[in-house]
Amino acid sequence: MRQKRSEIYSVELSGTKDIVRTDQGDDKEKYRGLKNNCLERKKKNQEEDFQKELQLDDHKLNNRELEKKYGTNIIMGLSSTRAAELLARDGPNSLTPPKQTPEIVKFLKQMVGGFSILLWVGAFLCWIAYGIQYSSDKSASLNNVYLGSVLVLVVILTGVFAYYQEAKSTNIMSSFNKMIPQQALVIRDSEKKTIPAEQLVVGDIVEVKGGDQIPADIRVLSSQGCRVDNSSLTGESEPQPRSSEFTHENPLETKNICFYSTTCLEASTSPIGTVTGMVINTGDRTIIGHIASLASGVGNEKTPIAIEIEHFVHIVAGVAVSIGILFFIIAVSMKYRVLDSLIFLIGIIVANVPEGLLGTVTVTLSLTAKRMAKKNCLVKNLEAVETLGSTSIICSDKTGTLTQNRMTVAHLWFDNQIFVADTSEDHSNQVFDQSSSTWASLSKIITLCNRAEFKPGQENVPIMKKAVIGDASETALLKFSEVLLGDVMEIRKRNRKVVEIPFNSTNKFQLSIHETDDPHDKRFLMVMKGAPERILEKCSTIMINGEEHPLDKSTAKTFHTAYMELGGLGERVLGFCHLYLPADEFPETYSFDIDAMNFPTSNLCFVGLLSMIDPPRSTVPDAVTKCRSAGIKVIMVTGDHPITAKAIAKSVGIISANSETVEDIAHRLNIPVEQVNQRDAKAAIVTGMELKDMSLEQLDEILANYQEIVFARTSPQQKLIIVEGCQRQDAVVAVTGDGVNDSPALKKADIGIAMGIAGSDAAKNAADMVLLDDNFASIVTGVEEGRLIFDNLKKTIAYTLTKNIAELCPFLIYIIAGLPLPIGTITILFIDLGTDIIPSIALAYEKAESDIMNRKPRHKKKDRLVNKPLAVYSYLHIGLMQALGAFLVYFTVYAQEGFLPHTLINLRVEWENDNVNDLEDHYGQEWTRYQREYLEWTGYTAFFVGILVQQIADLIIRKTRRNSIFQQGLFRNKVIWVGIASQIIIGLILSYGLGSVTALNFTMLRAQYWFVAVPHAILIWVYDEVRKLFIRLYPGSWWDKNMYY
Amino acid sequence: MGAHPQPHLKQQLERRQPVWISLYYVAFYVVMTGLFALCLYVLMQTVDPYTPDYQDQLQSPGVTLRPDVYGEKGLEIVYNVSDNRTWADLTHILHTFLAGYSPAAQEDSINCTSDQYFFQERFLAPNHTKFSCKFTADMLQNCSGLADPDFGFEEGKPCFIIKINRIVKFLPSNGSAPRVDCAFLDQPQELGQPLQVAYYPPNGTFSLHYFPYYGKKAQPHYSNPLVAAKLLNIPRNAQVAIVCKVMAEHVTFDNPHDPYEGKVEFKLKIEK
């Protein structure tokens, strides 16, 4: 049961991604188009469904009609038999877990992705070659069978590795999926029963207590002080009251419907908030269920890095196949046997395919993922590591991401003055003037007229982190006064509460009467807070500098100005007033009666205003600035009110201090909005209502024309529309969110970022990345790491591609000039999967060359991972130099053993002839076949060492792309040296340790041959330094354009 | 794009870029080719013209057989005594091979009689070379092809010529001449008697004065010494495997990987 529940919100972890990934590697463009169309259509249907479902009308029906519609009885509930029938008809009240791709399919996909196809082809060619050989000669050597098996082994090993890596990163998330099975209190057969929430059916009458989750979509029948937290659904951070009245056409707005999986809040009032309601939708048919299916219907786009790797695979595979076929044709036309030509083809493919590279990329990405996890960015999908780096637009949720998700006192108004309160996370720096005696009175009201209390047993917890019983505003006031005045509970004890009237929506005020803490003052103090205009109505005087002044027109006007100003900041404003009850009329023994109201509630003394807001996190403005300088547009998308949204946007810098919206300009110039030149406005605030009436083109126009955009009052599917709009601009879009309502957009985004603390499970499941500290600033870290990894992957790929030429040339020369084969296929595999692995991973540890946060995000279609300069420079410059260096080692070995270079030309046929056992060398010495073969292996080893030595130089030059190595520092990246050491050690082991194993074709090489290629290695270094120097000296020149990768 | 103030200049620059880069590539490849040629030149200069720097693979000489006719696996000689077409090719191979050992071909070599190594420190021969010892076909007596142009193939007692590979400055033994020893590889049970061989030169030895070899440049007229083995008791209509080993202290014939090192194995089937 627990197991099953835990999957409730698994809204497709990587299912859809996998489907899209199927056709990676094989270029079935047509197919892909088809598939996308299907997905698109499917998604549209779902959106329509969603819209339709929202037109539910249960909130408009009265109780009688409801009973009739659902065949139930409000007092007696459903009968057990009827419930069982309905359960059988509708299925359990739970979300259908998404279809998971079977593990075996995931595994097999790894076996055919990327270069694997090429290697499979190579392996099959090997076996076919053996088959042909065997059919003509029963004693054919098994070499080709071995080679084929080795290739298959390579494919399987890299596939297993990639599968393992992916599985590991997916498992991180399983910890999030722990949910406790829910119980529901239901009336059936006129009895109250507790049943698992899964067994609820429509028509059930349920009772929900404060603190419980709503077990299904319910129509409220009766409610006592119930408030629900809809923030995960609508993004409103304030708790919403619920009652049985029909208040709004929109089912999402009306008060008489509670939604599945939202929470009924624990209220401080007694009796605790309870709600009785009728189940109107269960399981997948609930609003949440629809959003969840909306999310799973949204196809996860291929990550940018996946596109780049695919592009790179295509380039390399293209080169391999075309060179292979070209030389196959050349070989055949040079009268080589077809069989031999086939074997050349295999050699060329193996030489061209960087077998180890995809594994290296995976490791590199997971290293970065680990590094990011340390900085509180948990990456679920490895490829998403880079996506943040190429992000050009961040669509951020407001509540919880940009803000602290708690009400906090932001401003105060007393003595005709507005004071700013510190809203940072710890409130430590309250600087406003606290000397006025008005403040003393105000603070007393704040402290006393408050029912919130700290939960016991939190003595050592910092004030701002203490848990509080009470609603958001009261909590804010409690913490505010605790910080400023010290122990609030002690103050309350000293001013014993005599009587109180709690806040209710009809009164719109809260009142309490206290004894004073001055033993000589026998008067009672009445304190009151509430909606400012209501409070002002009850007042006849106003306190200024501790003295009561009559409330005249002008003071009323200053009050209104202040009220409007604070309200305009998107803040919730409360008014405070008090009255000392005269001791003669209200002696110590007076018995107050709240029902009879035997005390005055007018002609009070107005003390001040206090406004609260869910303030931005202190790190956010800085992070937004950083995003700006990194060329990333930050768009706020929230379900909250436009005014609040704008205020927060301004305070975090999403709307910068000097930019105006069209409305601002109109207000400033005092002209109608229509007359304002749209181009003058830099910022735009778009509400969900406006968005609804917009065409896609209009939306595109807004997204393209405004630098600073805030979307307020948006619905889940509008979020999706916004994300799609951004993606139409060719932007890489990151979406942050925490609510269930965010999950479709999270899924649709190029990278979805969920909040780890506040985030709902649905959001976390739909996201590619989870911010463990809910901090927007962590995104900046992610961007930085993502950009760095992109740069470093370029370096890794350039490093890896270089040696391909050095591995390929031997085959070409062998075919054309008939030299004894300089390097064997197995030896190539030892380079690709042996000596080169650790160095190419080491490049992932390279530090950034310049401030990567000061440049624009890369253009998805222009700034490719593997571009022309990279391929050309690696293949035709460094690769060629490396090939020449390796050939020099090869020629040296042969020459010193007796075969001078010119004697080698066209020697191939005789050299490889088993029946020639007295082949003459330059000195007239005669060689048997085995003696020649041994020399050939020595040649392999020499060529291998030649490549190895020059790859060390290649590794060092790849540390930077523009700067000199000396600017970057040779020793800053220690891992590079580990890589170099590993290269040398593996080389030594292969040559001297395994030199006697004939199957590996390595021999013990004389020590001096290790140094033959060193001058070439130095040449490579010098050449690259010169290249970088000219790039730095002449930016924008033809050199820069052709040589900078 | 069109609003660029100097579109003309920009276009010109852009048009010139491919030229620059092509020129650069030409220059780059010329320089690289030159560098590589230079490297090879330096390599050639450092290589000793007379003696190879290393002989890692040539620790022990290979041994080859004439006539050299190969079957599926190694040397395999099959012929029918009564059908001279089946062995005409074989004797032809021997004749061709021995043509290099005619007195005319050996004219430039000297006659050596010593049974000791023929060490030559200095280049005393004409054209700054060293002397080579004569080996003429007639030294192979009955197998020289002179007296018996059929090399005994016709009578079923064929001659095989065994040649030892040249290795510069290789000394096969410490004083006694290397000797060829042929035997059945797996003694056939039904024969019951060992292989009877007549060796030419007598005892089947390579005289020591043919060693050491000083390389093609120092000894341009050098010819490998030969030993002929006339197999006298080959059974008819049965394939026999024969191995001829070179017996000398510094010649090894037990390398499991190299079947031609210090020995030569062949299969022989004489049909009737």
Side-chain angles (χ1 to χ4, degrees):
Chain A
M1 172 114 180
R2 174 174 290 230
Q3 198 56 32
K4 229 173 153 189
R5 293 287 311 180
S6 75
E7 283 179 315
I8 250 196
Y9 286 134
S10 307
V11 185
E12 278 286 277
L13 270 186
S14 54
T16 20
K17 192 161 279 180
D18 285 344
I19 293 171
V20 181
R21 204 180 288 156
T22 338
D23 36 22
Q24 206 183 61
D26 44 4
D27 26 8
K28 291 180 197 156
E29 290 291 342
K30 272 184 274 173
Y31 257 96
R32 196 173 306 150
L34 204 73
K35 193 163 286 171
N36 281 350
N37 276 346
C38 287
L39 275 178
E40 207 84 6
R41 202 169 309 140
K42 192 173 145 206
K43 195 176 64 203
K44 273 213 184 93
N45 280 342
Q46 264 162 344
E47 272 173 42
E48 277 160 21
D49 282 356
F50 188 69
Q51 299 277 14
K52 217 181 292 163
E53 196 56 41
L54 278 181
Q55 284 154 13
L56 98 171
D57 51 4
D58 290 338
H59 52 299
K60 298 177 195 159
L61 306 179
N62 63 29
N63 290 0
R64 187 66 48 77
E65 287 165 329
L66 277 170
E67 277 185 328
K68 208 172 143 198
K69 181 175 176 190
Y70 290 106
T72 183
N73 183 302
I74 288 175
I75 311 297
M76 295 168 34
L78 288 174
S79 67
S80 306
T81 47
R82 173 77 182 138
E85 273 170 35
L86 288 172
L87 189 64
R89 190 191 73 188
D90 296 341
N93 172 34
S94 63
L95 300 183
T96 322
K99 261 187 236 136
Q100 298 274 344
T101 318
E103 293 298 307
I104 183 74
V105 175
K106 281 190 202 166
F107 182 70
L108 289 179
K109 268 171 198 158
Q110 298 289 1
M111 296 285 162
V112 292
F115 295 118
S116 304
I117 293 285
L118 273 185
L119 293 180
W120 281 114
V121 169
F124 281 112
L125 287 180
C126 279
W127 291 329
I128 291 169
Y130 175 75
I132 298 170
Q133 278 175 330
Y134 185 79
S135 62
S136 62
D137 175 5
K138 296 280 178 281
S139 60
S141 97
L142 285 166
N143 278 350
N144 281 326
V145 178
Y146 294 146
L147 182 56
S149 313
V150 167
L151 292 181
V152 169
L153 194 70
V154 166
V155 173
I156 291 176
L157 281 183
T158 48
V160 166
F161 180 74
Y163 172 77
Y164 167 75
Q165 284 291 341
E166 196 186 278
K168 217 170 68 177
S169 66
T170 313
N171 280 344
I172 298 173
M173 288 311 294
S174 59
S175 58
F176 283 120
N177 290 343
K178 282 175 200 142
M179 279 179 71
I180 309 143
Q182 218 187 323
Q183 301 287 323
L185 188 62
V186 63
I187 301 174
R188 279 192 190 164
D189 305 326
S190 319
E191 276 175 60
K192 281 193 187 177
K193 288 179 189 173
T194 303
I195 61 164
E198 259 186 23
Q199 291 176 17
L200 286 181
V201 294
V202 287
D204 263 332
I205 308 300
V206 288
E207 250 180 52
V208 185
K209 285 195 303 291
D212 284 352
Q213 258 197 354
I214 308 290
D217 282 358
I218 57 174
R219 160 74 158 79
V220 179
L221 299 172
S222 67
S223 148
Q224 278 175 305
C226 168
R227 287 163 165 230
V228 287
D229 176 7
N230 268 358
S231 63
S232 78
L233 195 61
T234 59
E236 291 159 310
S237 48
E238 288 172 38
Q240 306 292 312
R242 281 295 175 259
S243 63
S244 56
E245 302 131 42
F246 160 57
T247 56
H248 201 287
E249 284 286 327
N250 186 342
L252 279 173
E253 302 266 343
T254 184
K255 280 191 178 168
N256 60 357
I257 293 195
C258 294
F259 297 105
Y260 182 34
S261 94
T262 58
T263 327
C264 181
L265 287 184
E266 229 175 301
S268 54
T269 49
S270 63
I272 54 165
T274 57
V275 60
T276 309
M278 183 189 292
V279 175
I280 52 172
N281 274 318
T282 59
D284 289 333
R285 290 165 301 281
T286 58
I287 298 291
I288 291 287
H290 275 276
I291 293 175
S293 64
L294 192 61
S296 65
V298 174
N300 227 332
E301 303 290 310
K302 236 184 257 181
T303 57
I305 195 72
I307 295 171
E308 289 307 317
I309 288 172
E310 193 178 309
H311 174 238
F312 155 71
V313 168
H314 283 167
I315 289 179
V316 171
V319 170
V321 169
S322 45
I323 294 183
I325 289 175
L326 180 70
F327 275 84
F328 182 78
I329 294 168
I330 290 177
V332 170
S333 55
M334 280 175 75
K335 304 274 179 333
Y336 280 98
R337 287 186 304 159
V338 174
L339 181 69
D340 287 336
S341 312
L342 209 60
I343 292 167
F344 300 156
L345 182 64
I346 299 164
I348 288 172
I349 289 178
V350 172
N352 253 312
V353 172
E355 288 85 2
L357 189 56
L358 292 186
T360 312
V361 170
T362 316
V363 173
T364 309
L365 290 175
S366 61
L367 282 175
T368 308
K370 259 190 205 151
R371 205 151 56 203
M372 286 166 77
K374 269 189 205 148
K375 296 175 183 169
N376 288 325
C377 287
L378 192 63
V379 181
K380 273 169 56 190
N381 173 9
L382 268 192
E383 287 168 352
V385 166
E386 189 276 329
T387 315
L388 259 186
S390 34
T391 295
S392 48
I393 296 182
I394 298 177
C395 291
S396 179
D397 193 25
K398 179 181 75 71
T399 315
T401 315
L402 298 175
T403 66
Q404 300 169 17
N405 197 16
R406 61 162 165 244
M407 277 298 176
T408 307
V409 176
H411 291 97
L412 304 101
W413 180 80
F414 55 86
D415 292 349
N416 285 336
Q417 234 181 312
I418 290 180
F419 299 90
V420 180
D422 180 20
T423 53
S424 67
E425 274 81 348
D426 57 359
H427 266 28
S428 56
N429 195 20
Q430 300 288 6
V431 288
F432 66 92
D433 181 19
Q434 293 165 28
S435 58
S436 161
S437 51
T438 316
W439 163 245
S441 302
L442 182 60
S443 62
K444 191 164 260 181
I445 308 172
I446 295 170
T447 318
L448 299 179
C449 189
N450 189 336
R451 296 158 46 90
E453 284 175 30
F454 290 113
K455 280 186 182 166
Q458 304 186 85
E459 283 72 25
N460 299 322
V461 185
I463 295 169
M464 295 316 291
K465 294 218 168 81
K466 283 185 185 175
V468 174
I469 307 169
D471 72 15
S473 332
E474 297 230 300
T475 305
L477 294 171
L478 172 66
K479 286 184 175 173
F480 180 68
S481 43
E482 178 91 3
V483 167
L484 286 168
L485 306 170
D487 194 342
V488 169
M489 303 317 283
E490 182 56 37
I491 297 172
R492 287 195 200 158
K493 241 179 241 163
R494 277 189 269 127
N495 298 273
R496 196 180 67 84
K497 190 191 291 175
V498 182
V499 74
E500 73 173 340
I501 303 175
F503 184 90
N504 69 51
S505 46
T506 38
N507 285 348
K508 297 219 164 153
F509 68 81
Q510 178 179 352
L511 174 154
S512 57
I513 298 172
H514 300 259
E515 292 170 357
T516 60
D517 51 359
D518 181 355
H520 308 294
D521 191 350
K522 295 292 173 207
R523 290 177 300 172
F524 286 103
L525 172 64
M526 183 171 80
V527 288
M528 187 192 266
K529 77 166 185 225
E533 64 279 8
R534 281 298 180 87
I535 296 296
L536 194 72
E537 280 169 16
K538 300 183 189 299
C539 294
S540 57
T541 58
I542 182 162
M543 185 181 277
I544 291 165
N545 295 328
E547 285 162 26
E548 280 189 38
H549 294 270
L551 192 64
D552 53 26
K553 276 258 168 63
S554 67
T555 36
K557 203 179 168 205
T558 52
F559 159 82
H560 275 290
T561 319
Y563 181 26
M564 290 314 289
E565 189 175 341
L566 295 178
L569 292 173
E571 297 176 3
R572 189 197 298 173
V573 190
L574 288 176
F576 294 83
C577 62
H578 73 186
L579 181 69
Y580 282 95
L581 301 177
D584 47 347
E585 271 180 66
F586 300 96
E588 246 176 298
T589 51
Y590 190 84
S591 119
F592 293 98
D593 185 348
I594 53 168
D595 293 318
M597 295 285 267
N598 54 353
F599 46 86
T601 55
S602 58
N603 293 327
L604 311 177
C605 171
F606 191 86
V607 181
L609 291 172
L610 198 146
S611 69
M612 281 167 295
I613 195 162
D614 178 11
R617 291 163 173 275
S618 52
T619 47
V620 170
D622 191 36
V624 171
T625 317
K626 276 188 183 158
C627 285
R628 277 274 162 73
S629 65
I632 303 169
K633 197 161 157 180
V634 184
I635 293 178
M636 183 197 276
V637 184
T638 178
D640 217 333
H641 293 275
I643 299 169
T644 322
K646 186 181 173 189
I648 294 294
K650 282 216 150 177
S651 62
V652 298
I654 286 179
I655 294 179
S656 43
N658 51 358
S659 54
E660 293 174 307
T661 64
V662 174
E663 292 79 13
D664 286 337
I665 296 173
H667 186 250
R668 176 166 54 85
L669 301 176
N670 213 2
I671 52 171
V673 174
E674 296 76 40
Q675 288 177 19
V676 177
N677 182 0
Q678 303 272 336
R679 294 268 173 268
D680 291 345
K682 237 176 104 191
I685 293 170
V686 183
T687 64
M689 292 306 281
E690 290 164 358
L691 194 57
K692 211 181 215 172
D693 302 328
M694 259 180 216
S695 66
L696 290 181
E697 291 72 34
Q698 280 170 307
L699 175 64
D700 287 353
E701 206 175 303
I702 286 180
L703 289 171
N705 290 341
Y706 292 99
Q707 279 310 300
E708 301 168 344
I709 309 172
V710 171
F711 289 97
R713 273 281 171 222
T714 50
S715 66
Q717 62 271 39
Q718 282 178 329
K719 267 193 183 177
L720 206 56
I721 290 168
I722 294 165
V723 172
E724 283 169 343
C726 295
Q727 283 172 336
R728 272 198 302 278
Q729 321 262 320
D730 266 346
V732 175
V733 185
V735 170
T736 74
D738 51 5
V740 181
N741 58 336
D742 296 325
S743 55
L746 286 172
K747 193 94 186 175
K748 178 73 205 173
D750 294 288
I751 177 166
I753 304 167
M755 298 299 131
I757 303 167
S760 63
D761 288 358
K764 284 178 195 165
N765 278 325
D768 302 298
M769 186 180 277
V770 180
L771 294 186
L772 293 179
D773 56 358
D774 284 17
N775 193 343
F776 185 81
S778 304
I779 294 176
V780 178
T781 316
V783 171
E784 205 167 347
E785 291 288 349
R787 290 185 174 190
L788 185 59
I789 199 69
F790 187 82
D791 284 3
N792 286 348
L793 275 181
K794 262 192 174 187
K795 295 172 185 175
T796 302
I797 290 175
Y799 169 78
T800 313
L801 284 188
T802 304
K803 64 169 187 294
N804 278 6
I805 286 297
E807 290 169 354
L808 179 68
C809 285
F811 279 93
L812 309 187
I813 301 289
Y814 168 74
I815 294 169
I816 292 173
L819 301 184
L821 188 61
I823 189 166
T825 315
I826 302 280
T827 322
I828 288 176
L829 289 176
F830 271 106
I831 299 177
D832 288 0
L833 296 170
T835 58
D836 264 6
I837 293 290
I838 299 176
S840 47
I841 293 171
L843 282 170
Y845 290 92
E846 205 52 52
K847 297 274 181 300
E849 277 177 67
S850 54
D851 194 352
I852 43 177
M853 291 307 280
N854 275 335
R855 64 177 195 221
K856 291 228 164 318
R858 72 184 182 90
H859 191 284
K860 208 157 70 166
K861 296 195 173 137
K862 284 184 197 146
D863 306 325
R864 308 306 303 251
L865 181 65
V866 176
N867 49 18
K868 200 175 122 214
L870 187 147
V872 168
Y873 185 68
S874 299
Y875 276 144
L876 299 185
H877 292 233
I878 303 297
L880 182 101
M881 291 164 95
Q882 213 174 63
L884 291 181
F887 265 110
L888 186 64
V889 191
Y890 160 86
F891 280 132
T892 309
V893 166
Y894 274 73
Q896 295 205 314
E897 294 282 357
F899 287 95
L900 291 184
H902 56 90
T903 60
L904 292 172
I905 291 167
N906 282 328
L907 193 62
R908 191 190 75 91
V909 178
E910 269 192 291
W911 180 275
E912 290 184 349
N913 189 341
D914 283 339
N915 299 340
V916 175
N917 281 295
D918 49 1
L919 185 72
E920 234 179 87
D921 67 13
H922 176 72
Y923 294 97
Q925 306 186 99
E926 289 165 319
W927 295 66
T928 66
R929 171 68 183 127
Y930 179 76
Q931 287 163 345
R932 296 195 303 269
E933 200 163 46
Y934 199 80
L935 178 59
E936 189 176 315
W937 294 340
T938 311
Y940 291 177
T941 315
F943 208 94
F944 164 84
V945 166
I947 292 179
L948 188 151
V949 167
Q950 294 175 92
Q951 277 293 80
I952 294 176
D954 190 24
L955 182 63
I956 291 172
I957 64 167
R958 300 301 183 182
K959 279 164 69 76
T960 59
R961 294 185 294 145
R962 181 184 289 276
N963 289 351
S964 163
I965 294 301
F966 302 104
Q967 283 170 290
Q968 181 82 349
L970 251 181
F971 299 98
R972 239 171 75 196
N973 180 356
K974 303 273 185 308
V975 191
I976 289 277
W977 293 95
V978 173
I980 292 175
S982 82
Q983 232 169 349
I984 295 171
I985 289 167
I986 293 174
L988 289 173
I989 289 174
L990 285 175
S991 174
Y992 300 108
L994 304 173
S996 48
V997 185
T998 46
L1000 299 181
N1001 301 351
F1002 279 97
T1003 65
M1004 304 212 191
L1005 200 66
R1006 282 174 182 275
Q1008 71 264 34
Y1009 294 134
W1010 285 74
F1011 301 96
V1012 175
V1014 168
H1016 270 80
I1018 294 170
L1019 181 70
I1020 286 175
W1021 187 349
V1022 171
Y1023 181 72
D1024 196 60
E1025 278 296 318
V1026 171
R1027 174 189 75 95
K1028 290 168 188 162
L1029 179 68
F1030 282 129
I1031 285 174
R1032 292 195 304 274
L1033 284 183
Y1034 305 108
S1037 63
W1038 60 270
W1039 181 273
D1040 186 16
K1041 277 184 190 141
N1042 286 290
M1043 301 297 237
Y1044 180 68
Y1045 54 88
Chain B
M1 267 209 181
H4 197 278
Q6 285 172 298
H8 195 63
L9 183 68
K10 201 183 169 191
Q11 271 172 12
Q12 260 188 350
L13 277 173
E14 241 145 47
R15 218 178 298 132
R16 272 168 62 187
Q17 272 176 19
V19 179
W20 280 116
I21 196 72
S22 326
L23 279 178
Y24 178 74
Y25 271 101
V26 171
F28 176 70
Y29 287 126
V30 167
V31 169
M32 287 318 292
T33 317
L35 268 178
F36 190 64
L38 182 72
C39 288
L40 286 187
Y41 177 77
V42 170
L43 173 64
M44 301 290 273
Q45 294 306 305
T46 56
V47 167
D48 187 323
Y50 293 101
T51 322
D53 294 336
Y54 303 114
Q55 293 172 304
D56 297 331
Q57 279 77 37
L58 301 177
Q59 296 297 321
S60 177
V63 174
T64 55
L65 184 80
R66 297 293 185 286
D68 45 349
V69 175
Y70 287 85
E72 263 195 9
K73 231 175 186 176
L75 290 156
E76 212 174 301
I77 290 127
V78 184
Y79 77 97
N80 193 327
V81 281
S82 48
D83 185 355
N84 70 346
R85 277 172 305 168
T86 57
W87 43 264
D89 284 346
L90 301 173
T91 55
H92 180 71
I93 292 171
L94 290 176
H95 278 298
T96 319
F97 179 67
L98 287 178
Y101 290 88
S102 66
Q106 298 283 314
E107 208 178 36
D108 296 319
S109 302
I110 58 163
N111 280 317
C112 305
T113 49
S114 152
D115 277 339
Q116 297 302 310
Y117 286 125
F118 183 29
F119 292 111
Q120 306 169 67
E121 291 301 321
R122 293 154 63 198
F123 296 85
L124 297 173
N127 298 330
H128 196 71
T129 57
K130 294 181 182 180
F131 294 110
S132 307
C133 288
K134 248 183 198 138
F135 189 100
T136 46
D138 59 344
M139 291 179 189
L140 299 178
Q141 298 162 358
N142 281 349
C143 286
S144 64
L146 301 170
D148 174 13
D150 298 330
F151 294 94
F153 277 80
E154 194 186 19
E155 49 176 343
K157 293 172 179 171
C159 287
F160 289 91
I161 294 174
I162 287 133
K163 181 180 75 123
I164 184 165
N165 279 353
R166 293 192 291 261
I167 295 177
V168 170
K169 289 189 176 165
F170 176 72
L171 301 178
S173 65
N174 296 335
S176 55
R179 178 177 62 84
V180 172
D181 179 50
C182 295
F184 288 122
L185 190 55
D186 311 300
Q187 181 73 28
Q189 292 298 316
E190 65 271 23
L191 288 172
Q193 54 173 343
L195 183 66
Q196 291 173 12
V197 194
Y199 297 105
Y200 311 96
N203 301 330
T205 54
F206 301 101
S207 176
L208 283 182
H209 61 240
Y210 294 104
F211 301 97
Y213 173 53
Y214 283 107
K216 205 149 82 179
K217 192 175 167 81
Q219 290 180 303
H221 306 297
Y222 183 88
S223 303
N224 298 33
L226 305 174
V227 165
K230 193 172 174 69
L231 309 179
L232 302 174
N233 62 341
I234 300 299
R236 297 294 182 267
N237 293 331
Q239 192 182 61
V240 288
I242 294 159
V243 58
C244 292
K245 296 173 179 170
V246 173
M247 314 298 274
E249 281 106 329
H250 300 149
V251 179
T252 55
F253 46 75
D254 48 7
N255 184 341
H257 302 293
D258 190 351
Y260 295 95
E261 187 183 300
K263 65 175 192 287
V264 59
E265 293 167 10
F266 60 101
K267 291 190 182 110
L268 177 61
K269 188 179 184 188
I270 302 176
E271 291 162 350
K272 198 157 115 182

